[in-house]
Amino acid sequence: MTTIAPEESALEAVFDATVAADERIEPRDWMPDAYRSTLIRQIAQHAHSEIIGMQPEANWITRAPSLRRKAILMAKVQDEAGHGLYLYSSAETLGTSRDELLDKLHTGRQKYSSIFNYPTLTWADVGAIGWLVDGAAITNQVPLCRCSYGPYARAMVRICKEESFHQRQGYELLLALSRGTEAQHAMAQDAVDRWWWPSLMMFGPPDDESAHSAQSMAWKIKRHSNDELRQRFVDICVPQAEALGLTLPDPDLSWNEERGHYDFGPIDWTEFWEVLKGNGPCNAQRITRRRRAHEDGAWVREAAAAHAAKHGKADR
Amino acid sequence: MTNLTRTPALALGDDALILSHRLGEWAGHAPVLEEEVALANIALDLLGQARILLSLAGDEDELAYLREERQFCNVQLVEQPNGDFAHTIARQLYFSLYQQLLFDHLATGGSELAPLAAKAVKETAYHRDHAEQWTLRLGDGTDESHTRMQRGLDALWRFTGELFEPVDALDAPWQTLRDEWTTRLTTVLERATLTVPQGPQHGAWTAGAGRQGLHTEPFGRMLAEMQHLHRSHPGATW
């Protein structure tokens, strides 16, 4: 579509005014190309994180130690698939397609959250993911319910409700372990030791090194800086860890009366960038498995399409 | 777990427990995102049924995690490995059609299973519909999907006779259920341009064997995976 400059500037003025008034941009509204592409990148990355994130937890479905825990874990992994569906649909309102986004994931042109490149080594990791990883995700995502783009904001309302349930089940799972046998307590502590720092990295690089932050805040896609959200998460977790009877693996963690926040030790950003570059413990495994599921399923999707074409109706 | 009574609740509970476990193995592997949701949904329904049924027979976790292979009395069909998506759908079609017919019958009776059957029959109708819809798509989709669907149906056929072997102390019109199952299955397979498998519906020496605790080789490995964590921490609560 070609537009002459005066019209474009008028449209842009409407867009700016809508954002400034804290109203929602909807799919049919004019929006700057960069706003559209930023949203597609962010929503796709979020959707990919949901479906890649199924892997480390699905790793324990077949070994869950009680039928109650098995039911909870299956439901949680199912929710993640559902979140993937809403998010891909939300991205489609911006003029892309699920197939195109999956192809970008499979070919490494779009990313997913690096946290899922860490392995789930014991049952307690399921609890640590719920408490810390989902907890960090909620801290990041609650402000997205007020994101300037309507379909994304509305998807996030439902997702945050379910994430909150996920976070509580993780906490409750760890509490049962922490109060259980000595071996169970040790399993819980070990999981928290391994997941704490990667969880803090989920908020992204420090504000002065974050590539997209400033523009996203101006567009009200993002509402708080990485460091603000990280601090909020630490402040929430410290008393929860105490209630769990578990320790957080940071000797520098202490209450700072003056700031009204917990101080915490330096994050190993080298590890963060290495995992992001593909050198984490499970990067290759996660993407290989995702690609294989997609390739193995190709004949099923082709059959569904062929059947729908023969019988003259949309398959789904 | 030495003095185990094989009750109908235990037999039907084991069917649901084991098929739920197999479906749970699909998580993260499904051919399309909608099927991640659907297969997990069916697995969750079956796990819910299993928990109610096993609780009628004893402690659900003791029964699931502390029995040996020979003490499980599920039919062999449900323990069969997933194979490809068509194989899983064939297993589900055979089982859900059977379960819906049986639960329909039990729901109207006066046994202790009636309340569970009345609730579960609605879920089971959805499972059956899901399997039927995929049977139609795969059977009447592409040449490859047709071949795979027929192969799945053929491979699992010899496990279908056991579904209608009488279960001790469970009053059901087994022959009528079997006839109805065959009629309905034939209708679906014909619509899907597939063929009702020929050949025996029983293995040579294993007629009704699952209900008696005789299982197939893959079952032991499945149980080893399912039970190892629970058994590694005797007496622990989770």
Side-chain angles (χ1 to χ4, degrees):
Chain A
M1 191 165 61
T2 52
T3 41
I4 51 169
E7 280 181 17
E8 179 132 344
S9 68
L11 292 166
E12 186 150 14
V14 173
F15 172 85
D16 290 342
T18 307
V19 171
D22 265 339
E23 286 167 9
R24 297 276 184 265
I25 304 297
E26 295 298 337
R28 64 179 176 276
D29 295 341
W30 183 91
M31 61 188 87
D33 289 344
Y35 176 85
R36 185 184 299 275
S37 61
T38 296
L39 275 168
I40 291 176
R41 181 180 53 79
Q42 180 171 335
I43 299 171
Q45 179 166 328
H46 189 172
H48 299 332
S49 301
E50 296 284 355
I51 62 168
I52 295 282
M54 293 169 71
Q55 289 185 33
E57 295 184 281
N59 185 34
W60 283 93
I61 286 178
T62 54
R63 293 177 288 172
S66 74
L67 297 187
R68 174 173 168 266
R69 292 288 177 200
K70 188 173 187 165
I72 293 171
L73 183 55
M74 270 189 189
K76 179 174 194 287
V77 174
Q78 184 193 33
D79 283 348
E80 281 152 12
H83 296 174
L85 278 174
Y86 315 144
L87 288 163
Y88 286 121
S89 300
S90 164
E92 284 179 337
T93 65
L94 291 157
T96 181
S97 71
R98 198 204 303 181
D99 283 346
E100 185 182 339
L101 298 176
L102 283 174
D103 187 56
K104 286 184 175 163
L105 170 66
H106 297 153
T107 52
R109 286 175 293 151
Q110 282 180 344
K111 294 197 180 302
Y112 55 89
S113 175
S114 270
I115 193 75
F116 301 117
N117 291 316
Y118 289 85
T120 47
L121 302 178
T122 73
W123 169 251
D125 291 28
V126 172
I129 287 183
W131 177 45
L132 295 173
V133 174
D134 293 330
I138 293 167
T139 309
N140 263 331
Q141 289 167 7
V142 166
L144 291 175
C145 299
R146 295 186 293 123
C147 160
S148 58
Y149 187 60
Y152 190 32
R154 289 188 288 272
M156 291 317 301
V157 171
R158 177 156 176 191
I159 289 174
C160 283
K161 280 183 192 158
E162 293 181 351
E163 290 294 349
S164 158
F165 161 75
H166 296 172
Q167 197 265 351
R168 285 202 300 275
Q169 70 79 36
Y171 181 88
E172 193 255 340
L173 189 162
L174 286 177
L175 188 64
L177 293 179
S178 181
R179 293 179 176 175
T181 66
E182 208 174 308
Q184 286 177 306
H185 182 88
M187 193 193 285
Q189 183 62 59
D190 168 61
V192 169
D193 289 348
R194 283 182 288 108
W195 287 93
W196 173 248
W197 290 108
S199 300
L200 294 191
M201 295 175 198
M202 283 176 69
F203 296 93
D207 294 346
D208 50 7
E209 292 171 36
S210 179
H212 305 290
S213 280
Q215 181 61 71
S216 286
M217 297 215 5
W219 277 329
K220 296 189 182 171
I221 293 174
K222 199 176 163 106
R223 297 278 183 162
H224 305 281
S225 80
N226 294 354
D227 288 329
E228 278 169 26
L229 291 168
R230 191 170 8 248
Q231 181 69 59
R232 185 179 296 177
F233 178 67
V234 171
D235 291 346
I236 291 169
C237 286
V238 174
Q240 291 183 346
E242 281 168 16
L244 281 169
L246 298 170
T247 58
L248 296 170
D250 180 358
D252 296 333
L253 204 55
S254 62
W255 178 250
N256 183 325
E257 192 64 54
E258 208 172 295
R259 291 202 308 124
H261 291 292
Y262 283 93
D263 289 336
F264 53 97
I267 292 172
D268 180 359
W269 292 110
T270 309
E271 176 179 317
F272 173 80
W273 294 114
E274 280 300 309
V275 176
L276 198 68
K277 271 194 286 180
N279 299 324
C282 301
N283 299 59
Q285 175 190 329
R286 299 282 187 246
I287 205 71
T288 300
R289 176 158 161 195
R290 175 89 273 288
R291 270 195 218 123
R292 197 192 316 131
H294 191 74
E295 286 160 13
D296 288 352
W299 69 270
V300 178
R301 298 189 299 275
E302 283 159 17
H307 182 269
K310 279 186 212 181
H311 296 271
K313 58 178 184 204
D315 175 53
R316 44 169 43 102
Chain B
M1 292 274 104
T2 44
N3 299 316
L4 192 73
T5 313
R6 291 210 169 96
T7 63
L10 193 62
L12 303 187
D14 282 351
D15 286 348
L17 176 73
I18 301 307
L19 186 54
S20 164
H21 185 94
R22 284 298 190 201
L23 290 169
E25 293 173 352
W26 270 103
H29 293 280
V32 60
L33 205 43
E34 284 80 355
E35 286 306 298
E36 291 285 359
V37 177
L39 294 172
N41 194 52
I42 298 169
L44 275 166
D45 285 346
L46 289 168
L47 185 54
Q49 294 170 14
R51 295 183 65 192
I52 293 169
L53 287 162
L54 294 182
S55 296
L56 289 172
D59 178 90
E60 60 174 26
D61 284 338
E62 276 184 33
L63 288 168
Y65 292 100
L66 298 177
R67 272 182 297 162
E68 300 295 324
E69 185 177 339
R70 298 277 278 110
Q71 295 175 307
F72 279 82
C73 40
N74 52 283
V75 289
Q76 293 179 349
L77 175 68
V78 296
E79 75 205 33
Q80 297 311 306
N82 289 336
D84 66 8
F85 186 70
H87 198 86
T88 288
I89 292 298
R91 186 183 62 197
Q92 200 64 45
L93 180 67
Y94 288 157
F95 182 78
S96 296
L97 201 47
Y98 149 79
Q99 204 192 33
Q100 190 186 1
L101 291 167
L102 180 62
F103 282 180
D104 256 338
H105 168 77
L106 294 176
T108 56
S111 80
E112 64 166 359
L113 303 181
L116 173 274
K119 173 178 172 287
V121 79
K122 293 176 200 134
E123 299 167 351
T124 303
Y126 161 73
H127 305 168
R128 197 249 323 127
D129 185 59
H130 173 264
E132 277 187 11
Q133 295 305 318
W134 273 110
T135 301
L136 293 173
R137 287 187 199 113
L138 299 180
D140 192 16
T142 62
D143 289 346
E144 182 181 7
S145 69
H146 179 90
T147 304
R148 286 179 185 256
M149 191 65 219
Q150 188 66 55
R151 197 189 297 153
L153 291 163
D154 290 347
L156 293 167
W157 184 244
R158 69 192 176 93
F159 298 107
T160 55
E162 191 183 2
L163 299 172
F164 306 99
E165 291 293 325
V167 174
D168 287 347
L170 184 62
D171 181 30
W174 297 103
Q175 188 55 48
T176 310
L177 293 178
R178 183 179 192 137
D179 294 344
E180 184 68 18
W181 182 89
T182 307
T183 304
R184 291 200 191 185
L185 180 73
T186 304
T187 306
V188 176
L189 297 191
E190 280 174 359
R191 274 185 67 204
T193 73
L194 295 157
T195 312
V196 178
Q198 301 302 306
Q201 283 176 270
H202 285 296
W205 66 283
T206 52
R211 294 273 184 244
Q212 310 306 318
L214 271 179
H215 295 279
T216 53
E217 284 188 354
F219 187 52
R221 286 182 180 276
M222 196 210 92
L223 280 189
E225 183 174 341
M226 185 175 104
Q227 295 182 336
H228 101 274
L229 177 59
H230 184 96
R231 287 181 179 235
S232 298
H233 298 263
T237 52
W238 300 94

